[in-house]
């Protein structure tokens, strides 16, 4: 058993981490922090935890770090790196769910997030935890940067084809859609019920912070130079993310070969499932679970394909992948604590 | 380990039973039947099970009953009693989720469901599984009739006050609201997305089949003669049920005393939680879990109170309570396989 | 043609007033105020007005009141009375959509709204605009207090039966449900999409500010002393309100007689429709319209009935009724500008 | 005044036509047909019409065509051409909302819709009613084929740039999303509330019937040979459609120039609005209206742009555009009966 702390437990990714840790056979939830809600019981912040025996919410300063083995940091970028730097030497493992350690190039980080990276030595140590492509690096890692939800969803759809030389890296268009929990838990008119329900929209069109992260993943895991065109949308649903990837196939390949290649690549994966020809992935089927479903389709135009990938943005797209990564750092079965099927309907 | 069969696995309650059995440490899912979908793989019927290793869907005739210890019958009323009668001697335990064995009086069954009860001897053996009030009867039971979702939600809210003589039994009004999954999985214009979303309505006003069942529960568990006025509503949500119970208090009691009585009644319950004064139960906080949350409120008019109870209609209102009941028949910890907190958001 | 000003045009009721005024053949929208958004174009505040030729949003001080015939005040209570007092002598008619002039007794106002009423002489002049019961008073009125949404929905369901002596006034229970727009347009975690969707809850249980207003309406329009038990709920939908009224019938009447009485009472009403036996009102059928649909049902228990009424809380429950009232003050056809059928789906 | 008949009035597009005709100052609704619901009153089929004075639903045979000036045919493809052929000589104008007369090439029709076109001479007479690009042809037209909802939404976004030579015609990717009403009104498990809400998915990936129609529109209105890559999605909302068009710009142009060109193209349009830089179109803002909002954005990659267009699929995407087209055939102001702003929220 390892003792876990969740930092930023009053947000949705923090809460999802708490939910998953409570069901994990080798994790003991020892501390939860939430700056603005410190002192409250967790069930006052998230009433779904009524009746659970949980530690109180505290500030960071109140945590006895000597008791903590692993930290799941669910903090905003900027705050995350500062906090991690402070406690880094006192804990065994840090799983960071923020954006702070995703980009290996601090210059690109500054360009993308509008502030310099203050902890470059940590950056050098971190492992980028796109689980299915990073297992070798994850074993024994001390600092894991969990990918963004859009990169996770999109890269699972694209990397096998790119690594296999079957997809043109220069003309990738990712049209993605997310549920509203991706925006976090906050009082905001833009995310008020009546402003969101029964409608849809794109946002951050042309430049979303996850786009450079995808280019990096394509470079690091597929050895290709890419410059993805990425447009996210906000949909009237809680959880769920769909990446519709419009790609051109390289000379000599076709969709049947592509699907076969994906099936073989992901054959032993516990959480990534390539659907049969004609089966369409739906976000609702992965709700609340760590699973990803991928469908591969020919377009009516020659040499082009559509690859559709769905995940739960809070689980595989965030806290579920975080747990999966931690399992791997410990050399445990990576499915520990993640054996949920989607809650449908 | 016990071997389980789920009958009617292509419906929502069947599917919820499957989901819970997969996470149960002492149950092995051995067979699943679905008349109209026999021969299909379960993930073709419910794509959220993609990647799971499951038995195929079969007809009832294809099941080898000698392998089955416990049957979870998620069949329509009528079909349920017939099927159970056929297999009753071949299995150890039958947990019935239909309405067929809920009413102990076959005459009332016929009046309510429009067809005679054909298996009165079985009816005599059945235990009515409103768990929190039926534990003594459940231990060792062979046939358990799980209550309807509305009776479960409403009786948890009303029985302590009625049994304690604090609530007038003659003037109870239950205004209940359910998510759409309560209607089952079927092609029906009335339950089409565009006919349901962004709107609400009452239905079965004046006479819903669950009303006589509530009168029976009040008689059997609180020793009172009641004739509840019950009006259900259909809300634009998937899962979730709320029973708003408008009651008159008996002479000499008040809401503070009532709340105290409920807190003491349910103090050790793993799944029933009395909220603090002022806290309002919300269906979304019990989504996907076996929990029930209850709030007790004074009305501005003298001697009247409002008791609000929320459950997930598919879990505590159906398949979750079914598992809980089965655990008790076996003398197991009743929370086995039910340790989920609500999936919120 | 009359010139209209909408005060508080950045809220949902203000916006609905603007929408209806734009379609009104005898109203010219001359001014719109919104304290916090003054200076912005209306389509920046509500993008659905893109392409419309509208006056800019201003502060109250910037309005040239000499140009204004009628003011639709969509301000918070407190702010409303102060503003109306200031401009009262400069305009011809004031239609107030706030709570400030609903209660005729200033003591009750203070008790209910937690602040003294500062403009009692105005209070003496106001007409309470529950349209269908107030037509005689509305003709020529200068100050109209539009009822709350819950009182409108509930009183249309109850007053005919109470006035006709067919409903017991002492045991009325109103279990009401509202869409989220009833909470107004604001940044608030409680009304964030992810905190509202796919769930339901009661609120303000035991004492909602609209309850005393209903007692007043029953006294004034039906001549009965009542003390309604009123419990509102918040549903995951935008617009729509449903009042489920649980009533006891007086000796010698029954539901058939009650329905006949309602049909005859509302026979000539353009906006109130008594449905046939068995037809259930649904909020979605009045969405965006000024219509009210009412169904009357026998309960299975003797001498009790359920009367269900649905409206759009922003239209008949607020700005639509406001326009209807203004039409009547002018002696116009009261349906002017309100000829919309519900936008379904 | 002209007398109108709506054929197929029991579907959603038929109903939307009825709603709009009722508010049209020069149209008199004389007949409504609905094969399967003939004999019912319209308010039994769509309860939102309760209290309206409407003709009954009849079969086609019961219509007295000599009384009808204009037919709005809201029938399934196949049935539409047969019906129109039968009545063509008896009426003045036919506005067809089906797919039957959209494709000018009967061979392409057969390929796309899987059945030969039986009325080629009618096909030769028809005008393709993409209003903003077809005004000259519409004046005096007898048979108008209204475009599909996806082509309407997408072509409004693409044609100005293509016609102006600013967009590469060979690499257009349209990632579109629709509300559920686009699937029509029917009992179907795939469109059941619980199968749709809180989730999203693509469908008809690679080959949707509207794709060849878009190629045709680009050829006919922009003089370019295209082969659009089109992927539609189904979103959990009632009304609303969004076309996210990923395009490459031709040499020598940029997004600022593109936006300027669109603004100038659509400057006088009553229903098409080019938003300012940075403003993002949202489907909810055009709900229930005939408006289209378009935003134009630079992508972070060179020479590429994203053009986003939103409409209400039932209004501008179907029945609203149908009315607009009929207005033009008569030489009337094309906005007659369409003066609705979006119903938001």
């Amino acid at each position: 058993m390892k003792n876990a702390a969740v930092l930023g437990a009053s947000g949705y990714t923090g809460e999802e981490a708490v939910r998953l840790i409570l069901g994990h056979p080798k994790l003991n939830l020892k501390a939860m922090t939430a700056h603005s809600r410190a002192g409250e019981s967790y069930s006052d912040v998230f009433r779904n935890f009524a009746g659970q025996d949980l530690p109180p919410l505290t500030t960071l300063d109140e945590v006895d770090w000597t008791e903590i083995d692993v930290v799941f940091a669910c903090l905003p970028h900027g705050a995350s790196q500062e906090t991690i730097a402070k406690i880094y030497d006192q804990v065994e493992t840090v799983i960071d769910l923020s954006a702070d350690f995703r980009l290996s190039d601090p210059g690109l980080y500054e360009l993308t997030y509008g502030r310099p990276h203050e902890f470059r030595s940590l950056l050098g140590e971190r492992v980028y935890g796109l689980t299915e492509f990073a297992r070798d690096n994850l074993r024994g890692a001390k600092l894991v940067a969990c990918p963004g939800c859009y990169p996770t969803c999109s890269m699972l759809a694209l990397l096998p084809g790119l690594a296999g030389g079957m997809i043109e890296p220069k003309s990738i268009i990712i049209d993605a859609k997310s549920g509203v929990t991706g925006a976090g838990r906050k009082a905001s008119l833009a995310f008020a019920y009546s402003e969101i329900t029964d409608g849809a929209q794109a946002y951050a069109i042309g430049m979303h912070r996850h786009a450079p992260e995808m280019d990096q993943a394509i470079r690091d895991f597929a050895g290709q130079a890419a410059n993805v065109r990425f447009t996210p949308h906000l949909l009237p649903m809680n959880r769920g993310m769909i990446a519709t990837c419009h790609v051109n196939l390289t000379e000599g390949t076709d969709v049947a070969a592509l699907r076969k290649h994906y099936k073989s690549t992901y054959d032993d994966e516990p959480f990534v499932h390539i659907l049969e020809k004609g089966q369409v992935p739906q976000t609702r089927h992965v709700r609340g679970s760590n699973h990803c479903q991928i469908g591969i389709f020919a377009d009516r135009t020659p040499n082009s394909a559509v690859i559709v990938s769905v995940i739960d943005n809070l689980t595989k797209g965030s806290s579920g992948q975080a747990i999966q990564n931690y399992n791997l750092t410990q050399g445990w079965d990576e499915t520990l604590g993640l054996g949920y099927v989607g809650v449908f309907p």
Side-chain angles (χ1 to χ4, degrees), chain A:
Chain A
M1 294 293 293
K2 295 283 184 176
N3 285 334
V6 174
L7 313 188
S10 62
Y12 292 141
T13 54
E15 184 220 357
E16 184 77 349
V18 169
R19 180 174 82 90
L20 295 173
I21 289 168
L22 289 185
H24 194 292
K26 293 200 173 185
L27 283 176
N28 176 32
L29 183 60
K30 196 75 182 178
M32 295 191 287
T33 74
H35 184 70
S36 63
R37 310 294 295 263
E40 294 187 58
S41 85
Y42 202 56
S43 66
D44 283 347
V45 176
F46 288 108
R47 188 65 44 79
N48 44 325
F49 290 87
Q52 303 293 318
D53 186 26
L54 292 173
L57 282 168
T58 67
T59 62
L60 286 163
D61 293 343
E62 293 172 278
V63 178
D64 178 357
W65 300 103
T66 63
E67 294 183 333
I68 305 299
D69 298 302
V70 55
V71 163
F72 292 91
C74 306
L75 298 167
H77 65 85
S80 196
Q81 56 180 271
E82 281 177 32
T83 304
I84 289 171
K86 262 187 227 162
I87 64 173
Y88 197 67
D89 293 338
Q90 307 176 63
V91 299
E92 197 177 275
T93 312
V94 175
I95 309 292
D96 185 26
L97 289 84
S98 85
D100 274 353
F101 295 95
R102 290 176 189 159
L103 298 175
S104 57
D105 174 354
L108 183 58
Y109 177 85
E110 183 166 353
L111 197 67
T112 307
Y113 290 94
R115 42 172 297 156
H117 202 292
E118 308 280 358
F119 303 94
R120 300 190 178 198
S121 64
L122 284 180
L123 198 50
E125 289 187 30
R126 77 87 166 92
V127 171
Y128 181 75
L130 184 63
T131 318
E132 284 71 15
F133 297 86
R135 284 195 185 93
D136 292 346
N137 297 328
L138 284 165
R139 186 167 305 241
K142 171 154 186 165
L143 174 58
V144 178
C146 294
C149 45
Y150 285 120
T152 298
C153 191
S154 307
M155 291 303 105
L156 290 173
L158 290 170
L159 287 179
L162 284 161
M166 304 173 88
I167 292 175
E168 288 282 0
K170 293 295 190 194
S171 59
I172 294 169
I173 292 182
I174 303 168
D175 191 290
K177 300 93 186 167
S178 173
V180 182
T181 52
R185 192 185 212 202
K186 58 188 171 200
S188 159
L189 182 57
F191 299 102
Y193 179 83
S194 297
E195 307 280 322
I196 289 289
T197 191
D198 205 39
Q201 65 185 99
Y203 71 98
I205 310 168
M207 178 50 207
H208 185 283
R209 285 164 166 176
H210 286 177
E213 185 183 339
M214 296 193 217
D215 289 347
Q216 172 187 280
I218 293 172
R219 183 198 65 205
D220 291 353
F221 296 118
Q224 304 267 16
N227 209 4
V228 300
R229 286 158 68 179
F230 170 63
T231 305
H233 295 72
L234 184 67
L235 303 192
M237 61 188 191
N238 260 334
R239 290 160 175 259
M241 172 165 285
I242 177 165
T244 308
C245 306
H246 306 273
V247 301
N248 292 304
L249 301 182
T250 53
E251 184 103 16
T253 193
D254 62 18
V255 164
L258 192 67
R259 188 182 298 113
K260 193 172 165 194
H261 176 62
Y262 274 70
K263 274 187 161 295
S264 129
T265 301
Y266 288 131
D267 195 35
D268 294 330
E269 287 297 340
F271 296 120
V272 184
H273 312 283
I274 305 301
L275 301 186
E276 297 301 321
K277 187 180 175 182
Q279 294 182 336
V280 177
Q282 307 186 16
T283 63
R284 51 186 75 82
H285 292 141
V286 296
R287 189 188 295 142
S289 85
N290 200 49
H291 293 278
C292 172
Q293 297 191 6
I294 295 174
I296 301 173
F297 303 85
D299 192 73
R300 66 179 187 127
T301 63
N303 305 319
S304 61
V306 182
I307 309 178
V308 182
S309 166
V310 299
I311 61 170
D312 182 322
N313 55 302
L314 290 182
T315 319
K316 183 61 174 170
S318 184
S319 306
Q321 185 165 238
I323 300 282
Q324 191 182 0
N325 284 336
Y326 181 63
N327 287 341
L328 285 165
T329 65
Q330 302 305 301
W332 298 340
D333 174 352
E334 72 189 81
T335 68
L336 277 187
L338 296 171
Y340 302 97
V341 295
V343 179
F344 171 82

